[in-house]
Amino acid sequence: MTGIFRNCIGGEWVDGATTSLNRNPSDAGDVVGEYAQADAAQARAAVAAAAAAFPSWSASPVQQRFDVLDRAGTEILARRDELGTLLAREEGKTLPEGVGEVVRAGNIFKFFAGEALRLAGERIPSVRPGVDVEVTREPIGVVGLITPWNFPIAIPAWKAAPALAYGNTVVMKPADLVPGCAWALADILHRAGLPAGVFNLVMGRGSVVGEAIVTDPQVAGVSFTGSVSTGRAIAAKLVARMAKVQLEMGGKNPLVVLDDADLGTAVTAAVQGAYYSTGQRCTASSRLIVTEGIHDRFVRALAERMAALRVDDALAPGTDIGPVVDRTQLDQDLAYVGIGQAEGARLVAGGERVARAKDGHYLAPALFTEATNAMRIAREEIFGPVAAVIRARDYDEALALANDTEFGLCAGIATTSLKHASHFRRHAQAGMVMVNLPTAGVDYHVPFGGRKGSSYGPREQGRYAAEFHTVVKTAYVAP
Ligand code: NAD
């Protein structure tokens, strides 16, 4: 422990009203650090600082924005091992997954450094002689960024980098469980040369700090990633005061496995999609929809691969699956294992707590078979290493089952049939479609987001991030 990690408000590192201990889910005895917890007044002070910094940052030269974001990206990439270790320690992803996420965050800053230079407008001939029409994008103002615990650095990065690149000022509130990576990001941005007040970090409770950001009239828009219930509640408040809103929420993503699939490809996609990152991904494949002809072979091969997965300390070499993020989430996962059994699904692998050398929240990845799409384990987001196999007669039924969900983030298919792959790409009701790939694991430079209950508002990432982070102006000019 190295003292208290403070909030960053108006370019100053300030104490919070209280502090909170950041604990390692792999090891109850390991405290990652003590982090300041802001109250509502500090959140409002952060918004005021961001509002004061907006006029000058919104007019800053794009070279300045490029330089800051590029420097931040360079430092993040150079510190990948150290930050990846911090991430694995506070969230429970394995070290390679943690390092991979840090690299992604660094690349996102590099990408949006370039985007600051590429924000083009349009010049269009007017229908009126002698008049020019110009369409340009401008920053929206102060943006509130509210992030979940499962991607402690990538999600803060993919919200903050476009916000800053397009000239907005930021108030960020990370998830309570993982303040460490967000603090490291704030420190990096601070030292990368951002003027005071352009990026503010306020750690603390969602119901206090998050609420203060959402309801502050000086916040022009909020980009939120988290659960459906929180997302809906904050959207209602933002829409009521006509602020911009961007929500990324839950998923119940299907992986369809057809009779003609390559078995190895299908099993790899299922193992990685359902269980890596301890299944704690909005894009996790929690519904494995498998056609009759391959069903038994697929289940056998998947159970074999699962038996070889090593569940242990996120930092231990050779760990495939780290711990569940905390006790509450572990209890929720275990409750769903019980619900699945009570509903009549067959638990064929895992689903029980496992003891390791260190006292962590370890859960053996769980696989259900004989599930139906009506069961709660097939309809509700569990957000843990729990997946259910649902049997389908043929492709048509599999597609119908895949789409029979209130979510629509990602949908995958394992098949060697061009016809079915093409049809699925076109007809899967999801924001992202994967063919012979896991549903989780996406590029950083293309749009990310879903349909139906999974997302609301404009897409994140890639050039599409400009939709949320800018507002369009149409100017008519006569000589
Ligand atoms: P959560 O909804 O509990 O919290 C998300 C954030 O909102 C946290 O920072 C929290 O403190 C804050 N918050 C809570 N109450 C608030 C309030 N009243 N006002 C303002 N802010 C408030 O979600 P979580 O448990 O941190 O994350 C898990 C969820 O995130 C899962 O449902 C998962 O699917 C989702 N997720 C979605 C995506 C995606 O892009 N679709 C990506 C990652 C995670």
Side-chain angles (χ1 to χ4, degrees):
M1 293 198 32
T2 53
I4 296 167
F5 293 91
R6 296 180 166 80
N7 290 309
C8 187
I9 301 176
E12 302 290 330
W13 294 100
V14 296
D15 281 322
T18 57
T19 65
S20 148
L21 294 182
N22 181 0
R23 291 187 183 278
N24 179 349
S26 296
D27 179 0
D30 179 31
V31 174
V32 180
E34 186 173 5
Y35 289 80
Q37 296 276 290
D39 58 16
Q42 285 178 316
R44 285 193 292 271
V47 173
F54 178 70
S56 128
W57 181 249
S58 61
S60 60
V62 290
Q63 184 65 47
Q64 184 184 358
R65 296 185 213 166
F66 174 92
D67 288 341
V68 170
L69 296 179
D70 189 59
R71 268 197 292 276
T74 299
E75 179 170 341
I76 292 167
L77 291 171
R79 292 173 57 193
R80 65 185 67 184
D81 292 334
E82 173 216 336
L83 293 173
T85 302
L86 170 65
L87 198 163
R89 208 171 142 213
E90 73 173 346
E91 198 268 353
K93 257 173 222 187
T94 65
L95 184 56
E97 289 172 334
V99 172
E101 188 183 325
V102 170
V103 169
R104 179 190 179 85
N107 285 332
I108 287 168
F109 273 95
K110 294 278 183 184
F111 175 83
F112 281 106
E115 283 302 281
L117 306 181
R118 284 189 289 263
L119 187 65
E122 286 182 294
R123 191 151 180 187
I124 297 171
S126 168
V127 293
R128 285 172 278 170
V131 173
D132 276 332
V133 186
E134 195 184 63
V135 183
T136 52
R137 287 185 178 274
E138 296 181 358
I140 64 172
V142 177
V143 294
L145 308 180
I146 299 178
T147 58
W149 51 261
N150 66 329
F151 283 94
I153 196 160
I155 292 180
W158 83 49
K159 292 188 190 298
L164 298 170
Y166 298 131
N168 301 289
T169 55
V170 170
V171 178
M172 173 176 284
K173 194 213 91 66
D176 319 21
L177 290 175
V178 292
C181 286
W183 188 92
L185 183 60
D187 173 51
I188 289 168
L189 286 169
H190 186 68
R191 286 183 293 95
L194 273 185
V198 173
F199 182 91
N200 303 273
L201 176 77
V202 274
M203 300 172 284
R205 310 270 326 217
S207 55
V208 178
V209 174
E211 170 81 12
I213 294 169
V214 167
T215 53
D216 193 312
Q218 292 197 92
V219 173
V222 170
S223 177
F224 164 90
T225 300
S227 60
V228 175
S229 56
T230 311
R232 273 181 211 264
I234 71 169
K237 289 174 191 158
L238 289 159
V239 170
R241 66 178 182 81
M242 288 191 266
K244 278 187 105 168
V245 54
Q246 175 178 59
L247 306 178
E248 292 298 344
M249 301 170 287
K252 198 70 199 174
N253 310 287
L255 172 67
V256 169
V257 178
L258 296 185
D259 287 356
D260 61 29
D262 176 82
L263 187 62
T265 301
V267 170
T268 298
V271 170
Q272 293 187 2
Y275 302 118
Y276 278 27
S277 298
T278 322
Q280 298 174 150
R281 294 190 284 197
C282 50
T283 48
S285 326
S286 47
R287 293 185 299 141
L288 307 173
I289 300 169
V290 186
T291 50
E292 294 282 6
I294 197 170
H295 180 278
D296 294 356
R297 278 184 297 139
F298 173 80
V299 168
R300 237 185 347 265
L302 178 55
E304 266 170 34
R305 284 277 289 279
M306 289 173 66
L309 293 175
R310 186 165 153 209
V311 180
D312 208 335
D313 184 339
L315 293 174
T319 295
D320 297 301
I321 311 287
V324 173
V325 72
D326 72 351
R327 180 71 215 202
T328 308
Q329 183 64 47
L330 177 67
D331 288 343
Q332 178 173 312
D333 297 348
L334 289 167
Y336 271 108
V337 170
I339 289 167
Q341 288 172 304
E343 285 179 309
R346 210 170 126 229
L347 185 64
V348 294
E352 71 280 347
R353 279 202 76 170
V354 286
R356 293 291 178 256
K358 290 178 180 155
D359 177 17
H361 308 297
Y362 300 111
L363 177 65
L367 180 66
F368 280 106
T369 59
E370 313 309 327
T372 72
N373 206 43
M375 292 178 178
R376 284 182 63 193
I377 55 166
R379 303 212 77 80
E380 297 169 17
E381 185 179 51
I382 300 172
F383 219 56
V386 182
V389 176
I390 300 164
R391 212 184 271 267
R393 264 188 325 277
D394 53 18
Y395 168 75
D396 289 336
E397 191 188 27
L399 175 66
L401 289 166
N403 286 336
D404 177 15
T405 168
E406 67 181 66
F407 296 106
L409 189 56
C410 192
I413 189 167
T415 180
T416 53
S417 154
L418 178 62
K419 179 179 149 200
H420 286 139
S422 306
H423 190 272
F424 190 79
R425 272 171 59 183
R426 170 74 185 81
H427 295 279
Q429 293 165 4
M432 297 172 292
V433 177
M434 303 287 178
V435 178
N436 293 323
L437 287 167
T439 54
V442 295
D443 287 3
Y444 64 85
H445 65 307
V446 289
F448 177 94
R451 298 183 184 176
K452 302 199 265 186
S454 290
S455 300
Y456 181 75
R459 286 283 186 270
E460 297 197 79
Q461 301 199 58
R463 294 171 60 190
Y464 288 74
E467 295 297 325
F468 174 76
H469 289 285
T470 65
V471 61
V472 165
K473 177 179 279 175
T474 311
Y476 295 84
V477 182

